[in-house]
Structure formats: C-alpha cells, structure tokens
Amino acid sequence: MKMQELILTCQYSEGGRTIPQIINGSFDSFLKKELQNVEKYLLSTVS
C-alpha cells in the first residue's frame, strides 16, 4: 500500500461526538473504502 498524506478537517457541535470518535469514524470509513477490493485482488493473483 502506498503511503500518502491525509488531511482531516472536523466540525462538530458541543453535544455531538468527541474529536477521537470523529477521527476513528473517518479512519474506519477510509479503511473500508481502501480495502474493499483486497480479497478480489488476492484471489486473482493467487489463481
């Protein structure tokens, strides 16, 4: 996986999620997007 810089801008209300929760949620979304085709890629390279 190629390294790349990630810039994250957060806006939240006082009663909303905490900054760590926002960052973790953003990172989870990023990983899901980046890794969604890994299984297909691995299966095609092994065959």
Side-chain angles (χ1 to χ4, degrees):
M1 184 182 284
K2 185 174 100 175
M3 287 184 57
Q4 63 187 89
E5 185 175 332
L6 175 64
I7 298 172
L8 178 64
T9 304
C10 300
Q11 295 180 348
Y12 65 100
S13 64
E14 291 293 324
R17 298 185 301 165
T18 64
I19 291 174
Q21 289 172 326
I22 293 169
I23 293 171
N24 284 335
S26 297
F27 189 62
D28 287 345
S29 297
F30 169 78
L31 284 179
K32 285 178 186 174
K33 179 181 176 242
E34 291 297 315
L35 300 176
Q36 65 186 352
N37 294 319
V38 168
E39 184 178 357
K40 291 178 191 174
Y41 171 75
L42 291 174
L43 289 175
S44 67
T45 57
V46 171
S47 298

